[in-house]
Amino acid sequence: MTPDIFRRRLLDRTVRAALLGGLLAKAPAAAWGADASDSSDSSDASDSSEPEDIAEDFAHEIWDVVVVGSGTAGLCAAIAAREAGARRVVILEKLALTGGHGILSSGSVAVATRRPQSEDPDADIREMTAEMLRAGGDLARPELVRKLARESESAVAWLAGMGVNWRNVRYRAVGSVTARNISTGSPQAGYDYVSALSRRAVAIGAEIRHNTRAVRLLTETMPDGSVQVVGVRAALGGVDDRGAPSMSDFPARAVVLATGGFGANVGMRMKYAPRLDATYGTTANPNRDLLDGAEGDGIRMAEAVGAELVGMEHIQLIPYSGGRLLDFVGGEIWVNDAGERFVPEGVPFAELARIVEDTGNRSFWAISDATTQKGASLGVKLDEAIVREAATIEEMAHGMDVPVGVLRRTIVTWNRDVKRGYDTRFGFPVQGVPIAKPPFYYGRETWSVHFTCGGVAIDEEARVLTARCRPIFGLFAAGEVTGGVHGKDRLGGMSMTDTFVFGRTAGRSAAEWANATAKLREGTAAP
Ligand SMILES: Cc1cc2nc3c(=O)[nH]c(=O)nc-3n(C[C@H](O)[C@H](O)[C@H](O)COP(=O)(O)OP(=O)(O)OC[C@H]3O[C@@H](n4cnc5c(N)ncnc54)[C@H](O)[C@@H]3O)c2cc1C
């Protein structure tokens, strides 16, 4: 070891000791049911992991913040980190493309509005919190849910400042319970968010390295046995002189995991939900012909350094890749092989999955007409005959092989119900449009894996937590890689909001940590 490196490592240890005494006293006390009196994490780290202490020497300079994953959570984190003063910020992305699932997303974004002039300015924030807690059950962490609702509006305004042009119409996204979703109104709203975010990230000096797959977190063990994350090892997509995968270390003061969920990893999802075998496609990759980065890499890397995983068995299935054409409730009806509506189309996803599973049939028909504005998928679905057009109800019934009389009665009843605002089939108030204007669209819809609700435990500052509710120093996470925000079921539009709010928080927290460690080091080094 050269004297310089020796000196730096000595300083690092002094800095960490100071941090342990000061900054880290911010660790949450009672959240996640932890024993706040126990400050040792050594058992967490050694039980479930094989953390590798960082090499004596670094080939490169230290990054302030390394973000793993370039979906909306990762992009928000990188931007927020730069805005909070982190100097060197890099995003590692294993694919050749920026944007993750965000770029494919329909772009429904759930927002709670604060009304300062009203008697109860925070009523809508409380309502959104209550909606999420009802859907998420015991597994949704109230403090995370409250934060998401409270900061949703400012996150949306933050994106507007980057050029996202929100359309001022609130709608009820499929899988949500109230009309609180917004989007840009374009058929590719997710693309709009990714474009604006990636432009901003690059403009303010964050780097994006594509084809760079993080394979493990680099750690150091502290004197008390706890683990600090000090960088990321990544495979660069090529091979070295000896034909081995070309690897590089990215030493960092802080690391943000934003690697998305694990829906594309059949082995991993079957570990937690055995019935979800390879016969289930995913909404991101319905024909299994695309690359889908949602393979649980970040979850496994975090687990290897002692992170707690929560809610892993809650994997959301939705109807998406087949006959469904609309992302909002009220323009489409879903009918069974008898030609009857069998489910209220607006129920939360988990409830929907349960009802459909009870029917013993994984698929059904989705029907709409020419009145409603369709998304970008219409052309493709018509081209591939996933969706077909019919000039009359008779022609449609024939194409679906259902009794004409039953289908006509179903549609007539729906049209009458939406005019009256009450769904007589299921006994709910309903808002919708009649299905009356040809051409009619119909297609067979089935279930695809859409969203993994579980992941690494975090606190309100997006710090990754161990089973004992202690933060893993230097490690932050945001977006679908985390668990506990949505509990056992995610409502429509809440995931995008989650990536904006917690991505931003993770970036800020990581920058704060990086800046503090850098300052302490400078202070310690001063004569
Ligand atoms: C078709 C579709 C429509 C959707 N519509 C909506 C909607 O309207 N509203 C809503 O709220 N939600 C929607 N969702 C869900 C939402 O899009 C996702 O939950 C959200 O985009 C996840 O964002 P993320 O940044 O956490 O992860 P992702 O977007 O999955 O990004 C993770 C990134 O990390 C990369 N990565 C993974 N592992 C590594 C590694 N080891 N090294 C480097 N990089 C890695 C991946 O390649 C990926 O680019 C939709 C999802 C799909 C698939």
Side-chain angles (χ1 to χ4, degrees), residues 144 147-148 458 460 462 478 485 498-506:
L144 301 180
K147 177 185 171 79
L148 186 145
I458 55 166
E460 279 177 278
V485 177
D498 173 5
T499 65
F500 301 155
V501 168
F502 282 98
R504 189 183 191 190
T505 298

Side-chain angles (χ1 to χ4, degrees), residues 429-449:
V430 68
Q431 274 190 319
V433 290
I435 293 177
K437 184 176 173 193
F440 299 100
Y441 296 101
Y442 66 101
R444 197 78 183 157
E445 185 53 89
T446 188
W447 292 93
S448 305
V449 172

Side-chain angles (χ1 to χ4, degrees), residues 68-73 92-95 99-102 104-108 212-214 258-260 283-284 293 297 320 327 450-451 479-480 490 493-496 499:
V68 187
S70 74
T72 45
L92 311 183
E93 169 54 58
K94 70 179 174 184
L95 301 183
H101 283 186
L104 306 168
S105 151
S106 330
S108 295
T212 305
R213 181 167 55 91
T259 46
T283 53
D297 299 3
Y320 187 84
D327 194 39
H450 183 58
F451 181 88
E480 204 174 324
R490 178 195 68 104
M494 297 289 181
S495 174
M496 281 281 113
T499 65

Side-chain angles (χ1 to χ4, degrees), residues 211-234:
N211 298 312
T212 305
R213 181 167 55 91
V215 293
R216 71 162 57 222
L217 295 169
L218 303 172
T219 57
E220 278 200 351
T221 305
M222 300 234 202
D224 69 346
S226 61
V227 164
Q228 177 175 350
V229 171
V230 292
V232 174
R233 178 159 300 162

Side-chain angles (χ1 to χ4, degrees), residues 1-359:
M1 191 184 292
T2 67
D4 261 5
I5 291 169
F6 179 78
R7 192 170 148 271
R8 198 172 80 192
R9 291 173 66 79
L10 197 68
L11 284 175
D12 281 350
R13 291 198 189 286
T14 318
V15 165
R16 280 195 302 275
L19 283 167
L20 268 175
L23 260 188
L24 304 181
K26 277 172 41 177
W32 299 90
D35 175 0
S37 63
D38 184 351
S39 64
S40 162
D41 285 331
S42 52
S43 58
D44 301 326
S46 55
D47 282 350
S48 58
S49 71
E50 30 175 45
E52 180 183 292
D53 273 8
I54 193 162
E56 288 291 288
D57 199 345
F58 287 131
H60 311 283
E61 278 296 301
I62 293 188
W63 294 89
D64 285 320
V65 178
V66 170
V67 177
V68 187
S70 74
T72 45
L75 290 167
C76 286
I79 294 165
R82 284 286 298 133
E83 289 180 349
R87 276 169 297 188
R88 300 194 70 225
V89 176
V90 65
I91 301 175
L92 311 183
E93 169 54 58
K94 70 179 174 184
L95 301 183
L97 192 71
T98 301
H101 283 186
I103 207 163
L104 306 168
S105 151
S106 330
S108 295
V109 175
V111 189
T113 308
R114 190 161 193 283
R115 298 193 171 82
Q117 310 306 332
S118 90
E119 261 179 32
D120 185 358
D122 293 330
D124 196 38
I125 294 173
R126 280 201 310 280
E127 200 177 305
M128 177 160 156
T129 305
E131 287 164 15
M132 288 185 74
L133 290 175
R134 263 197 308 276
D138 290 350
L139 281 175
R141 305 302 309 177
E143 68 280 12
L144 301 180
V145 173
R146 260 194 302 275
K147 177 185 171 79
L148 186 145
R150 202 175 50 235
E151 296 184 15
S152 57
E153 200 174 17
S154 65
V156 158
W158 187 51
L159 266 79
M162 296 178 211
V164 171
N165 197 4
W166 299 105
R167 189 173 174 211
N168 194 18
V169 174
R170 305 234 158 189
Y171 62 94
R172 181 176 169 199
V174 171
S176 66
V177 290
T178 45
R180 62 166 68 263
N181 280 268
I182 58 169
S183 83
T184 56
S186 108
Q188 293 175 294
Y191 178 87
D192 297 342
Y193 313 149
V194 170
S195 303
L197 289 167
S198 51
R199 262 200 315 271
R200 170 79 179 157
V202 171
I204 62 174
E207 286 184 37
I208 306 184
R209 304 268 179 99
H210 292 104
N211 298 312
T212 305
R213 181 167 55 91
V215 293
R216 71 162 57 222
L217 295 169
L218 303 172
T219 57
E220 278 200 351
T221 305
M222 300 234 202
D224 69 346
S226 61
V227 164
Q228 177 175 350
V229 171
V230 292
V232 174
R233 178 159 300 162
L236 302 182
V239 288
D240 66 17
D241 298 345
R242 288 160 301 170
S246 180
M247 308 292 278
S248 184
D249 284 351
F250 291 80
R253 298 199 165 92
V255 172
V256 177
L257 291 174
T259 46
F262 60 97
N265 184 333
V266 176
M268 191 164 170
R269 71 186 197 217
M270 285 183 72
K271 175 176 168 193
Y272 296 102
R275 75 198 163 90
L276 297 182
D277 58 22
T279 62
Y280 285 88
T282 66
T283 53
N285 188 15
N287 302 323
R288 301 168 178 81
D289 52 1
L290 302 171
L291 291 173
D292 182 350
E295 296 171 305
D297 299 3
I299 296 175
R300 283 178 294 160
M301 284 189 280
E303 190 181 22
V305 299
E308 164 84 329
L309 305 187
V310 287
M312 294 293 286
E313 67 280 24
H314 296 287
I315 298 176
Q316 190 168 68
L317 301 170
I318 66 161
Y320 187 84
S321 320
R324 235 192 86 201
L325 291 173
L326 302 178
D327 194 39
F328 54 89
V329 178
E332 198 166 68
I333 57 170
W334 299 344
V335 307
N336 58 20
D337 290 340
E340 292 166 334
R341 284 177 67 225
F342 67 101
V343 66
E345 293 81 0
V347 296
F349 291 132
E351 176 70 357
L352 196 57
R354 193 191 56 70
I355 295 171
V356 173
E357 247 166 46
D358 283 353
T359 68

